Structures are given as C-alpha cells and as structure tokens.
C-alpha cells in the first residue's frame, strides 16, 4: 500500500502483533457463503502491526477459492508486507492481504463500518523487567557485555527501576510508560557518577525503544569513565 507521510502523522496509531488480528466473517445464518482467504500467521511473520483509529479508505483485491473481488474497504492495520482490510458485504469481513493488493483511495466508507477497537495503553510492572532485561542483553551480548540485575522495584504508577551492573559498574535502568501518548521509554543511569548514559529513548513499544537505544555508545561512556578514574588515581 502506498504511504502518505503527512496524513499518517495525524492518525493516532497503536501497535500489536499482526497475528493477533484474526479473520472476521459475518454470520451466514445457515446459507452457503464462500470464505475469503486471509494470510496465515506464518505469512504475516513475527511483525508488529500499526493499528489506526482513523482507518484510510482503500481498494483491495480479496481472493476466494474460485474467484477474486476488488472491494472498497478500510485499512485497519498494516505491516511492511501486509494490510488488515475490512469491508461490508452481507456483514463485516476482515482479512489480511498482501500489501501489493491494496491501494489507498480518497473516499471514506459509510460511518456504519466499525473501526477496529484500540488496544489498551501500555503498562509495566516489576514482572515485566526480566523479559525486557533479556532483550537488552541480546543487544549487549555482541559487544561482550551483560546487564546483571540485582534488584527491581516500582518507580511510580507507570515506571519500574532495575538496579544492576555492567562490568561491575553500578547502574539503574529506568523503564516507564506515558499513558497519555501510549509510548514507552528507557534510560540508563550511572549510579557512581550520577549521570544519564545515552539519551532517554521513547518508542511505541519497549522492544522498539530497546532496539533504538545507543548501547555501544553507552559502553564507550562507561569505558571512558573508567579511564578518567584511572587517571585521577594516578
């Protein structure tokens, strides 16, 4: 599906795993109704889908066992390779199709078409910390480093503080959410020199925030701090 950067900024987007958005078919009331094809979880891949509260109007090719139909509908969600399309025909249908089968149009469908319910805002508890630290260590491991947790505690209603070490250096990992914007954030704090390492990073999910965090630069900062301390001791 073609992108429209200026318009996409206006949409309030959420992110969910694509394979959690299932095919929806209307009740056929006992009559025979051919079922359209929808992409399988394997075809969708382990990708996050962007879900819009203002779905754009699209034209899409929908395949059935013996034919294909060019429908007018809404793009409720999408990944880089696929689009979750809704249209009305004797009820509401929702299926995943390849992005190449979808084109955006200017016309909106009737307001009777129901948009996809939005997922709840992000939240975080101390129970989420081990999984997120595991993701962080997946990024640190290629650099020969590891964050070793010593203690985890709540940092307020929307945050968790994880105390630990990297190469025996005392650190605090701050993980927080912003319910108003439904964004996730993380930052690393050096407890010895009372300094934030790297810049506080925000993203629609913790996975994305962790992936975008400058881990190599953080390790370089820690090494530089060690060098400074050695020079002072000399």
């Amino acid at each position: 599906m073609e992108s429209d950067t200026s318009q996409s900024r206006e949409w309030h987007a959420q992110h969910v795993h694509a394979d959690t958005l299932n095919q929806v078919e209307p009740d056929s009331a006992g009559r025979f109704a051919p079922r359209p094809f929808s992409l399988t979880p394997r075809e969708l891949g382990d990708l996050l889908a962007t879900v819009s509260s203002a779905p754009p109007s699209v034209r899409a090719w929908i395949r059935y066992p013996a034919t294909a139909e060019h429908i007018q509908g809404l793009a409720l969600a999408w990944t880089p390779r696929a689009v979750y399309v809704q249209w009305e025909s004797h009820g509401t249908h929702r299926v995943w199709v390849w992005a190449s089968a979808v084109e955006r149009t200017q016309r909106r469908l009737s307001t009777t078409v129901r948009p996809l319910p939005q997922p709840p805002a992000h939240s975080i508890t101390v129970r989420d910390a081990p999984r997120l630290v595991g993701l962080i260590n997946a990024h640190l491991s290629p650099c020969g480093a590891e964050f070793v947790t010593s203690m985890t505690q709540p940092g307020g209603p929307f945050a968790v503080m994880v105390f630990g070490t990297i190469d025996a250096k005392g650190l605090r990992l701050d993980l927080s959410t912003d319910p108003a914007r439904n964004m996730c954030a993380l930052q690393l704090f050096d407890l010895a020199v009372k300094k934030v390492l790297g810049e506080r990073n925000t993203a629609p999910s913790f996975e994305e925030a962790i992936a975008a965090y400058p881990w190599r630069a953080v390790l370089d900062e820690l090494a530089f701090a060690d060098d400074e301390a050695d020079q002072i001791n000399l």
Side-chain angles (χ1 to χ4, degrees):
M1 186 176 67
E2 296 179 0
S3 62
D4 186 336
T5 305
S6 61
Q7 187 175 17
S8 64
R9 292 195 194 101
E10 299 173 3
W11 299 336
H12 178 63
Q14 307 281 351
H15 294 80
V16 299
H17 282 284
D19 59 7
T20 64
L21 300 177
N22 299 319
Q23 181 170 358
V24 173
E25 293 298 318
D27 183 2
S28 61
R31 64 180 176 82
F32 172 75
R35 182 181 176 89
F37 291 117
S38 185
L39 299 181
T40 65
R42 185 175 179 183
E43 289 172 316
L44 290 173
D46 188 21
L47 296 175
L48 287 176
T50 299
V51 181
S52 175
S53 61
S57 181
V58 296
R59 296 281 290 178
W61 284 102
I62 306 297
R63 294 204 167 272
Y64 288 83
T67 186
E69 291 187 8
H70 201 202
I71 60 92
Q72 177 79 37
L74 295 177
L76 300 183
W78 51 85
T79 74
R81 67 174 69 163
V83 182
Y84 190 51
V85 177
Q86 173 179 298
W87 75 99
E88 296 291 320
S89 178
H90 304 290
T92 300
H93 304 259
R94 292 175 183 164
V95 300
W96 280 102
V97 299
W98 295 117
S100 58
V102 181
E103 293 179 320
R104 182 171 296 154
T105 62
Q106 296 300 318
R107 185 171 65 86
R108 293 275 180 179
L109 287 189
S110 165
T111 55
T112 59
V113 178
R114 299 181 299 278
L116 189 69
Q118 294 299 305
H122 290 295
S123 62
I124 185 170
T125 70
V126 294
R127 290 178 294 181
D128 299 311
R131 180 181 68 86
L132 298 177
V133 169
L135 293 176
I136 289 169
N137 281 332
H139 289 275
L140 292 175
S141 179
C143 303
E146 180 184 11
F147 183 92
V148 180
T149 301
S150 59
M151 181 178 66
T152 304
Q153 66 183 47
F158 308 111
V160 165
M161 296 185 295
V162 185
F163 295 87
T165 59
I166 295 179
D167 294 335
K169 302 173 184 68
L171 305 170
R172 187 186 75 222
L173 173 65
D174 296 331
L175 301 164
S176 61
T177 63
D178 181 349
R181 298 189 301 142
N182 205 22
M183 297 289 282
C184 302
L186 73 89
Q187 68 179 19
L188 204 59
F189 188 78
D190 189 326
L191 296 173
V193 298
K194 311 297 183 187
K195 176 185 176 182
V196 173
L197 300 172
E199 295 184 358
R200 184 173 183 269
N201 194 39
T202 61
S205 69
F206 279 113
E207 290 81 359
E208 292 170 278
I210 290 169
Y213 203 71
W215 296 109
R216 186 170 292 278
V218 164
L219 295 177
D220 289 343
E221 281 192 65
L222 288 173
F224 180 74
D226 273 355
D227 292 341
E228 280 191 322
D230 290 342
Q231 291 177 8
I232 292 173
N233 291 333
L234 290 175

